[in-house]
């Protein structure tokens, strides 16, 4: 059988209804960061039923990776499909009311709505369907195909004494466990929601705390001393940080995509005792760092900023802390896995895919450190998402599943 015949057969073998059933079953299992074990168990069971060799890697209580391997005949390259099982939200947030923020999937206007369908249980269902299509078509690949559903990818991190525990341990916990416990491949596809584009590179990030200080005393004695308040001092510092951001946007530009700095949180004082002045106020920044900039260089730039702030506001006793560093990553446009996806996309969609560079991060950075070339490529999504929450068109899922199956045939090779 030729590779062209195999590509055609696996594309025809993708079952849209079966794909939808798998996707909705995954969404129906709540799996916020820190509680991924049930979803991992479900995925392992599905892959085991298909005949794959499976293992449920336990990371810590309540958290596991699911790994399934479709063993090839030998002589071909191995391919990993990697996707995170943890969801961006718990489904219990009172301010997120739309159906796409809940682990109760529904179908509306030929799209699936539900927590995690976009990020990224829909793509995990596509991985499963791609493997099913390969098996149903009777194709024996040369190299192995690995399906990995991992814990703890979502951008979350422990900080201080208040924000501790598994629910805050994200930013690649599962994939780091994966690669340090023997699961590697010649290349990896991550099905993040890329709007059906091939994302060749993405920014990394540095999370920074900058603090101001002030005297702590009873508010009855605060008259005439408002300028000493650490929150007021932070107001002046924030004005200077805001004025600095455009220079970072320019310095950190990558493939025409400018850098970005988000002022993500501010904390100061005691809501339960506002009769006291706040001794410290913290502002937290998300600084997006291009893969072409070493993290040490980015840190040096932030330290220069803080030094400048300290000189401008010596009374504020400014200090800083870097508490997250996650590197960006890039893959060559002519890498064999990119070529394989490009060819598969043309066959599945009838047109060439666009290439893209984005500011969001993924587990590609962890994989690249272990010399596993990784590329992000996944379905159309609800983007931000909007007030309705996460949703993905079923047609996009079906075509992406076809493309994944075809990519595996092209990249891993066919045993004659």
């Amino acid at each position: 059988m030729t590779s062209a015949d195999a590509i055609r057969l696996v594309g025809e073998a993708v079952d849209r209804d079966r794909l939808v059933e798998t996707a909705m079953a995954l969404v129906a299992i709540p799996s916020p960061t820190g509680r991924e074990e049930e979803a991992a168990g479900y995925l392992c069971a599905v892959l085991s039923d298909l005949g794959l060799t499976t293992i449920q890697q336990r990371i810590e209580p309540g958290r596991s990776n699911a790994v399934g391997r479709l063993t090839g005949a030998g002589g071909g390259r191995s391919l990993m499909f990697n996707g995170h099982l943890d969801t961006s939200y718990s489904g219990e947030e009172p301010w997120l009311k739309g159906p796409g923020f809940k682990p109760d999937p529904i179908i509306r206007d030929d799209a699936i709505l539900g927590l995690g369908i976009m990020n990224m249980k829909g793509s995990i269902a596509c991985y499963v369907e791609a493997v099913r299509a390969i098996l149903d078509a009777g194709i024996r690949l040369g190299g192995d195909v690995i399906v990995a559903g991992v814990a703890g990818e979502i951008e979350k991190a422990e900080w201080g004494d208040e924000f501790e525990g598994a629910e805050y341990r994200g930013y690649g916990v599962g994939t780091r466990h994966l690669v340090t416990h023997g699961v590697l491949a010649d290349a990896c596809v991550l099905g993040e929601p890329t709007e059906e584009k091939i994302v060749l590179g993405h920014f990394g990030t540095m999370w920074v705390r900058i603090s101001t200080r002030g005297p702590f005393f009873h508010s009855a004695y605060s008259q005439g001393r408002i300028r000493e308040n650490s929150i007021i001092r932070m107001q002046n510092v924030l004005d200077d940080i805001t004025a600095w951001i455009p220079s970072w946007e320019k310095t950190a530009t990558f493939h025409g995509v400018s850098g970005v700095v988000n002022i993500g949180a501010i904390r100061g004082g005691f809501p339960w005792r506002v009769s006291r002045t706040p001794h410290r106020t913290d502002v937290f920044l998300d600084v997006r760092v291009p893969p072409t900039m070493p993290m040490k260089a980015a840190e040096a730039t932030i330290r220069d900023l803080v030094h400048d702030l300290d000189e401008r506001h010596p009374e504020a006793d400014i200090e800083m802390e870097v508490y997250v560093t996650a590197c960006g990553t890039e893959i060559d446009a002519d890498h064999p896995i990119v070529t394989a996806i490009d060819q598969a996309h043309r066959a599945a969609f009838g047109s060439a895919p666009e290439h893209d560079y984005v500011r969001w991060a993924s587990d590609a950075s962890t994989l690249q450190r272990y010399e596993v070339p990784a590329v992000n490529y996944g379905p159309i999504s609800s983007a931000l998402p909007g007030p309705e929450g996460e949703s993905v068109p079923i047609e996009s899922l079906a075509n992406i599943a076809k493309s994944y199956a075809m990519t595996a045939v092209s990249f891993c090779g066919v045993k004659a």
Side-chain angles (χ1 to χ4, degrees):
M1 181 184 296
T2 67
S3 178
D5 288 337
I7 287 172
R8 175 180 55 80
L9 287 172
V10 296
E12 293 172 351
V14 167
D15 187 313
R16 177 186 173 114
D17 293 339
R18 186 171 60 184
L19 169 61
V20 169
E21 182 180 354
T22 304
M24 295 185 73
L26 281 165
V27 171
I29 302 171
S31 56
T33 305
R35 289 188 279 149
E36 302 94 342
E37 191 156 37
E38 184 180 354
Y42 169 80
L43 182 57
C44 269
V46 169
L47 296 174
S48 180
D49 286 347
L50 293 176
L52 276 65
T53 302
T54 60
I55 182 171
Q56 193 166 332
Q57 292 184 328
R58 194 171 191 223
I59 300 170
E60 59 179 317
R63 313 190 73 182
S64 296
N65 291 334
V67 184
R69 183 184 295 268
L70 178 64
T71 304
R77 294 175 293 205
S78 59
L79 176 62
M80 181 192 300
F81 290 109
N82 181 305
H84 60 86
L85 294 165
D86 59 330
T87 55
S88 297
Y89 314 100
S90 68
E92 300 167 0
E93 294 83 359
W95 63 93
L96 299 175
K97 301 183 184 301
F101 292 117
K102 308 299 178 185
D104 301 305
I106 62 171
I107 296 176
R108 181 194 295 169
D109 298 329
D110 207 32
I112 301 174
L113 286 80
L115 181 59
I117 188 63
M118 175 189 83
N119 192 28
M120 54 181 291
K121 292 181 177 182
S123 290
I124 294 175
C126 290
Y127 303 160
V128 173
E129 187 56 34
V131 169
R132 283 172 168 155
I134 292 166
L135 294 171
D136 287 353
I139 305 300
R140 186 74 188 278
L141 300 178
D144 294 358
V145 171
I146 301 165
V147 176
V150 300
E153 186 272 354
I154 298 295
E155 295 174 320
K156 299 177 182 177
E158 292 182 304
W159 182 80
D161 297 329
E162 185 177 354
F163 304 104
E164 291 184 335
E167 66 267 37
Y168 300 109
R169 287 194 281 272
Y171 255 128
V173 166
T175 291
R176 283 197 298 274
H177 187 92
L178 190 78
V179 295
T180 58
H181 290 76
V183 182
L184 301 167
D186 291 317
C188 179
V189 175
L190 297 120
E192 296 284 355
T194 66
E195 311 304 321
E196 299 173 350
K197 300 176 184 178
I198 300 176
V199 170
L200 298 175
H202 64 67
F203 282 62
T205 189
M206 178 176 290
W207 286 4
V208 182
R209 170 184 62 86
I210 298 176
S211 301
T212 55
R213 293 185 180 273
F216 176 78
F217 53 84
H218 197 292
S219 60
Y221 302 97
S222 64
Q223 187 176 21
R225 301 184 65 179
I226 190 67
R227 306 310 301 177
E228 299 176 44
N229 187 301
S230 69
I231 293 175
I232 299 301
R233 286 174 170 173
M234 180 57 76
Q235 182 179 15
N236 298 327
V237 169
L238 268 176
D239 286 342
D240 287 346
I241 292 173
T242 303
W244 165 82
I245 288 175
S247 68
W248 177 263
E249 292 174 345
K250 182 177 180 181
T251 299
T253 296
F254 169 64
H255 284 282
V257 181
S258 65
V260 71
V261 177
N262 180 47
I263 300 171
I266 188 164
R267 294 166 59 86
F270 310 93
W272 52 273
R273 201 176 191 191
V274 292
S275 60
R276 297 296 185 269
T277 56
H279 69 289
R280 188 177 105 177
T281 297
D282 303 318
V283 65
F284 298 86
L285 307 180
D286 173 15
V287 181
R288 294 286 151 163
V289 182
T292 49
M293 180 184 294
M295 274 292 166
K296 287 296 294 181
E299 182 188 12
T301 301
I302 303 303
R303 291 194 179 277
D304 286 344
L305 167 66
V306 172
H307 178 73
D308 184 52
L309 293 171
D310 191 45
E311 287 192 333
R312 292 187 188 188
H313 310 282
E315 75 289 344
D317 192 18
I318 296 170
E319 67 176 24
M320 69 168 283
E321 171 196 10
V322 174
Y323 64 103
V324 168
T325 51
C327 295
T329 186
E330 185 176 12
I331 190 170
D332 291 338
D334 60 355
H335 190 280
I337 187 57
V338 178
T339 301
I341 295 171
D342 186 89
Q343 294 172 347
H345 185 98
R346 290 170 187 268
F349 288 87
S351 61
E354 296 181 51
H355 290 179
D356 201 8
Y357 298 88
V358 297
R359 296 189 186 99
W360 47 257
S362 80
D363 277 346
S365 57
T366 299
L367 291 158
Q368 296 274 30
R369 291 182 187 182
Y370 280 79
E371 298 183 344
V372 179
V375 59
N376 284 280
Y377 170 66
I380 291 174
S381 72
S382 53
L384 286 174
E388 287 289 279
E390 297 186 37
S391 68
V392 179
I394 294 172
E395 185 69 16
S396 184
L397 289 172
N399 285 332
I400 286 291
K402 292 177 184 179
S403 188
Y404 287 164
M406 295 172 177
T407 296
V409 169
S410 178
F411 186 78
C412 300
V414 179
K415 186 68 175 179

